[in-house]
Amino acid sequence: MNQFRRQHGLAATREVKALSELARVRSETLSRTGQLIHTDSPSALLQKLQRRGLARSQAAENLLRQSPGRSAISEWGGRSVERSNLVNPDFQWHGLGKNAGKTGCYVVLLLTD
């Protein structure tokens, strides 16, 4: 992801373990249910982060059922909303979760300012 950001003239983001844990749990839920849906509104996501001591003013969630042989970043880079999250200059922190299930590999990327 940071290589993608650098290619677009942006600073790298840094991993926050608590964000990665939240993303991992989310990817497990997606894998278990087989549904690739956003369950939280942007404001609900911010509230969830705040309850975990991660108060932020902006947050985004990229979801993916990963295609075999393709990287998550290359797939998100081809989608307008997910791409705009990746290249948002306000985002400084990230958390990544990944879980393989019966219906595919689910990847969750959380980004915050």
Side-chain angles (χ1 to χ4, degrees), residues 75-91:
E75 291 197 46
W76 283 325
R79 300 175 183 177
S80 62
V81 172
E82 289 85 353
R83 178 184 170 80
S84 69
N85 291 337
L86 292 174
V87 298
N88 183 328
D90 295 332
F91 290 147

Side-chain angles (χ1 to χ4, degrees), residues 74-112:
S74 67
E75 291 197 46
W76 283 325
R79 300 175 183 177
S80 62
V81 172
E82 289 85 353
R83 178 184 170 80
S84 69
N85 291 337
L86 292 174
V87 298
N88 183 328
D90 295 332
F91 290 147
Q92 302 173 34
W93 310 100
H94 75 267
L96 184 66
K98 191 173 184 178
N99 191 277
K102 294 178 183 177
T103 59
C105 183
Y106 291 81
V107 184
V108 176
L109 175 65
L110 298 176
L111 297 154
T112 67

Side-chain angles (χ1 to χ4, degrees), residues 10 19 26-27 30 53 56 70 107:
L10 299 168
L19 281 176
R26 182 83 172 97
S27 69
L30 296 173
R56 302 289 189 256
R70 299 225 28 215
V107 184

Side-chain angles (χ1 to χ4, degrees), residues 1 22 31 44 51 66 73:
M1 176 184 66
L22 191 59
S31 178
R51 285 193 303 272
Q66 193 170 9
I73 300 304

